[in-house]
Amino acid sequence: MAESSSTEAGKTRRGNINDPPYMSSSSGPLTEELQCSICLDMFTDPVSTPCGHNFCKTCLNKHWDNSQTCNCPYCQESFNQRPDLKTNTTLREIVDHYKKKSPEKKPEVLCDFCEERKLKALKSCLVCQSSYCETHLQPHLRVAGLKKHKLMDPVSNLEDYICQKHERPLELFCRDDQTYVCLFCTEADHKNHNTVPLEMESEEKKVETQTQKDVQQMIQDRIEKIQDIKRSAEYRKRNTEKEKAAHVELFTDLIRSIERCQTELLEMMEEQQKAAEKQEQELIEDLEQEITELKMRNTELEQLSHTEDHLHLLQIYSSLSSPTNTRNWPEISMETHESMMTLRRALTQLQDTLNEKLSHSVTELKWMQQYAVNVTLDPDTAHPQLILSDDGKQVRHGDIMQKLSDNPKRFDRYVNVLAKEGFSSGRFYFEVQVKGKTEWDLGVARESVDRKGETTLCPENRFWTVILRNGNEYKAGASPSVSLSLRVNPQRVGVFVDYEEGLVSFYDAESISQIYSFTGQSFTDKLYPYFSPCPNYKGKNSIPLIITPFNYNKLIYPNMK
């Protein structure tokens, strides 16, 4: 037997220490498609060549290491440079699945001395080069000379266990050369090598194989865990999308409810006003009529007081003999109980609706505020005309271009500045006071934004912002930009980001109402809070943007760097 363990590609292979030497795996109808054409065994860590053929990664690398050219062992196609081999994960999963479902079976070894019905062999003798059933093995167990023979588990290829050079049994394993040897080999080519009995090496390989199985099981367990996490993330993403849709619907309903209640209230107040005006006009006309009648009566009474011929005057002024037809004005009210009760009920209903919606908005905003982060401005990114406070919490536009270093991180076209803190995962929230300003930009930007040229604030350019122009024109920096109709001008703006969900939301932190949300975004690098106080326009917009503080000591932000 040749002592070298190397073989020609595609002809034979060296077996596992637990398998008979020089024995290839049995192949079924499917295994041929799953076999490496170099080692003729099922793929181990399969890789694909540019021509589309598959091999074990180790087999292909060894083949190319021993060859002056780099070609496909199957179709002989040559490659100009050695390909960068990547594991074919799909093929590997198929092989692993097949191995689990169809474990490799060793061929059954029969007794060489049974004449009629051959029985299954119990042992093979390396000296006799024969296999024996339990009955025919008895001489090897009783006869003194035969007891010295080397017995082993039955194998069908006994000739592979005989040293072809010395014609002696391969009883030892050379760990230095990783090959089987006989006793004579240890006195010649393998002298002073680390050799051990074949049984010892076999047992150690079994332990090693068992350990490998444990490791493979651990790998499989972790793959399944990753799949569970992905399924959980997908489930959470779907739920989040539903929650976002519900929130949008909630705020839409809130706006509609307010508008409807406002319309109904105004119409009711208008009707009440018209009814009150009509009532007032009727009362005034009645009062004027009674005043006229009372004046005439007063004149008649005055004449009556200057004469004694009362009977004659009463005949002339017959009205004096009847009582005055006037109303009791102090008891008349300008508002009816029913109309006031209707108005009060409408006001109460409106207040209840607003309180309910406001309570939900407050709860949502408080949930976001638990992710508040300590944001400070980065002077290395600030445009030369921006003036930052010493604590890094305020920024305003100055009239003078400061002489600053040409930092690659610095904005030099627009008056922008980023925060020092960047976030590559998780959620974060911060608030900025914008009170008194006529223009500003706020939001987040990716680390890779263009800082040296002209750019438009939109997600395609890696900005997610809300802006104010001309004192009351609010827009979201989308593509195209979205005009926002806000009922009140925000004095303090909150910015909330959920990195994994691709969500950037802006809130009026005082009126507790949503301004705008970017949803379904994809973030691949760090996000930084973004600020622009905009030009001061000769003092008209000189008030700074102020990052408002939070009690950060109660919060932990592992994603912040």
Side-chain angles (χ1 to χ4, degrees):
M1 181 189 73
E3 296 180 16
S4 173
S5 62
S6 63
T7 61
E8 294 183 17
K11 293 184 178 180
T12 186
R13 70 176 179 90
R14 189 57 148 176
N16 184 285
I17 190 65
N18 296 315
D19 296 332
Y22 300 105
M23 180 178 180
S24 177
S25 303
S26 62
S27 61
L30 178 62
T31 53
E32 292 183 1
E33 286 76 12
L34 303 180
Q35 284 181 342
C36 171
S37 60
I38 297 178
C39 67
L40 299 182
D41 204 350
M42 295 188 75
F43 290 117
T44 301
D45 200 12
V47 294
S48 301
T49 59
C51 57
H53 296 115
N54 301 306
F55 306 91
C56 297
K57 186 175 183 179
T58 302
C59 294
L60 187 56
N61 280 326
K62 285 184 178 179
H63 177 76
W64 285 345
D65 290 342
N66 296 327
S67 176
Q68 294 182 350
T69 60
C70 189
N71 57 9
C72 173
Y74 187 85
C75 67
Q76 302 303 317
E77 179 177 341
S78 298
F79 310 118
N80 294 330
Q81 59 182 10
R82 186 164 178 166
D84 183 17
L85 299 176
K86 302 294 185 182
T87 300
N88 188 331
T89 55
T90 301
L91 182 57
R92 182 179 63 186
E93 291 175 359
I94 295 174
V95 172
D96 291 343
H97 178 76
Y98 185 82
K99 286 180 177 179
K100 290 180 181 180
K101 297 296 182 182
S102 305
E104 192 174 288
K105 296 182 179 179
K106 296 182 180 180
E108 188 178 74
V109 180
L110 301 178
C111 177
D112 293 328
F113 292 90
C114 290
E115 294 183 357
E116 295 182 358
R117 179 177 175 272
K118 289 188 175 293
L119 300 177
K120 183 179 178 180
L122 185 63
K123 290 289 183 181
S124 295
C125 178
L126 292 178
V127 178
C128 300
Q129 288 289 286
S130 300
S131 299
Y132 303 94
C133 65
E134 184 177 4
T135 301
H136 291 110
L137 181 64
Q138 293 304 314
H140 279 77
L141 302 178
R142 296 195 311 268
V143 179
L146 295 178
K147 284 184 177 181
K148 297 179 180 180
H149 287 191
K150 182 68 175 179
L151 296 176
M152 60 178 296
D153 291 337
V155 294
S156 58
N157 55 335
L158 279 168
E159 66 277 4
D160 289 337
Y161 287 87
I162 299 297
C163 178
Q164 301 299 313
K165 183 176 182 180
H166 302 109
E167 296 184 352
R168 298 285 297 176
L170 295 170
E171 304 177 64
L172 305 171
F173 184 79
C174 177
R175 290 180 171 175
D176 292 343
D177 295 335
Q178 290 292 298
T179 188
Y180 304 95
V181 297
C182 68
L183 287 173
F184 288 177
C185 290
T186 61
E187 297 176 359
D189 296 339
H190 297 270
K191 187 177 183 180
N192 299 325
H193 285 193
N194 181 15
T195 57
V196 296
L198 195 61
E199 294 83 355
M200 180 185 296
E201 183 68 13
S202 178
E203 290 300 322
E204 292 186 6
K205 289 293 184 182
K206 287 181 181 178
V207 174
E208 180 181 335
T209 301
Q210 183 63 36
T211 303
Q212 290 176 348
K213 289 181 179 179
D214 293 341
V215 172
Q216 290 174 356
Q217 184 60 46
M218 293 171 65
I219 293 173
Q220 184 63 31
D221 292 343
R222 281 151 180 77
I223 291 175
E224 292 177 358
K225 185 64 176 178
I226 291 174
Q227 292 173 347
D228 289 342
I229 293 173
K230 288 181 178 179
R231 284 193 292 268
S232 177
E234 183 64 25
Y235 176 77
R236 179 172 56 85
K237 184 176 181 180
R238 289 197 299 269
N239 283 348
T240 301
E241 290 298 329
K242 291 180 181 178
E243 289 182 6
K244 288 191 290 186
H247 291 160
V248 171
E249 184 178 358
L250 175 65
F251 281 108
T252 302
D253 290 344
L254 173 60
I255 294 172
R256 289 174 180 170
S257 297
I258 293 174
E259 291 176 345
R260 184 175 62 254
C261 292
Q262 182 186 39
T263 301
E264 293 175 356
L265 180 61
L266 292 176
E267 290 176 353
M268 186 178 298
M269 293 177 69
E270 183 69 22
E271 292 175 359
Q272 294 291 336
Q273 177 66 19
K274 290 180 179 179
E277 290 177 354
K278 182 179 179 181
Q279 183 186 24
E280 291 169 359
Q281 184 62 33
E282 290 176 351
L283 292 174
I284 290 172
E285 291 176 356
D286 290 345
L287 283 168
E288 289 178 343
Q289 177 66 30
E290 289 189 10
I291 289 172
T292 300
E293 293 176 356
L294 289 172
K295 284 183 177 179
M296 291 176 59
R297 192 177 187 86
N298 184 60
T299 301
E300 293 171 355
L301 288 172
E302 185 176 354
Q303 292 180 5
L304 184 62
S305 65
H306 295 296
T307 180
E308 294 180 357
D309 191 0
H310 293 171
L311 180 60
H312 177 70
L313 285 176
L314 286 173
Q315 289 176 348
I316 297 174
Y317 304 111
S318 59
S319 60
L320 291 176
S321 61
S322 62
T324 58
N325 185 22
T326 58
R327 300 165 67 181
N328 187 6
W329 290 103
E331 295 179 357
I332 296 177
S333 173
M334 293 298 295
E335 56 187 22
T336 65
H337 177 71
E338 182 178 358
S339 62
M340 287 304 298
M341 288 301 296
T342 302
L343 182 59
R344 286 172 181 171
R345 282 196 299 269
L347 290 172
T348 302
Q349 182 181 2
L350 176 60
Q351 188 64 45
D352 291 343
T353 301
L354 293 177
N355 287 341
E356 180 182 353
K357 304 296 185 181
L358 186 60
S359 176
H360 181 85
S361 300
V362 169
T363 302
E364 185 174 41
L365 185 59
K366 285 186 177 294
W367 176 82
M368 292 180 181
Q369 288 176 336
Q370 70 176 313
Y371 298 101
V373 293
N374 187 6
V375 175
T376 52
L377 301 170
D378 185 0
D380 291 339
T381 67
H383 184 276
Q385 284 186 311
L386 293 182
I387 300 175
L388 277 58
S389 62
D390 293 338
D391 61 359
K393 298 294 184 180
Q394 301 185 26
V395 57
R396 62 182 177 88
H397 179 259
D399 294 320
I400 302 175
M401 183 74 74
Q402 304 174 77
K403 294 182 179 180
L404 301 175
S405 60
D406 186 15
N407 193 315
K409 296 167 58 178
R410 190 181 308 283
F411 291 95
D412 63 3
R413 177 69 178 177
Y414 299 105
V415 287
N416 303 335
V417 61
L418 298 181
K420 293 180 179 179
E421 297 77 21
F423 305 86
S424 56
S425 63
R427 304 182 178 104
F428 63 93
Y429 175 89
F430 61 94
E431 287 185 1
V432 182
Q433 180 176 308
V434 297
K435 182 178 181 180
K437 294 192 64 61
T438 58
E439 293 193 0
W440 49 259
D441 304 343
L442 283 178
V444 293
R446 281 171 53 179
E447 187 174 24
S448 56
V449 293
D450 185 5
R451 311 183 188 204
K452 301 301 181 182
E454 294 186 0
T455 187
T456 302
L457 297 179
C458 63
E460 287 75 10
N461 293 332
R462 302 178 287 275
F463 289 93
W464 292 266
T465 61
V466 165
I467 67 175
L468 168 65
R469 295 292 183 268
N470 302 321
N472 59 1
E473 297 176 6
Y474 294 90
K475 294 183 179 181
S479 296
S481 62
V482 178
S483 295
L484 306 175
S485 178
L486 305 184
R487 296 187 175 277
V488 295
N489 290 351
Q491 305 297 303
R492 196 169 76 250
V493 176
V495 183
F496 174 76
V497 176
D498 189 325
Y499 193 98
E500 281 73 22
E501 294 298 331
L503 172 67
V504 182
S505 289
F506 298 83
Y507 284 82
D508 184 334
E510 290 192 349
S511 66
I512 314 177
S513 58
Q514 187 182 48
I515 298 175
Y516 188 81
S517 287
F518 294 90
T519 60
Q521 306 299 304
S522 178
F523 306 130
T524 57
D525 53 3
K526 281 187 179 181
L527 293 179
Y528 288 83
Y530 162 83
F531 311 85
S532 175
C534 294
N536 62 26
Y537 298 114
K538 297 181 179 180
K540 295 181 180 179
N541 189 40
S542 60
I543 296 176
L545 291 175
I546 303 174
I547 302 171
T548 56
F550 276 90
N551 187 0
Y552 302 102
N553 295 329
K554 295 182 180 180
L555 304 173
I556 299 175
Y557 306 102
N559 300 322
M560 184 176 67
K561 296 182 179 180

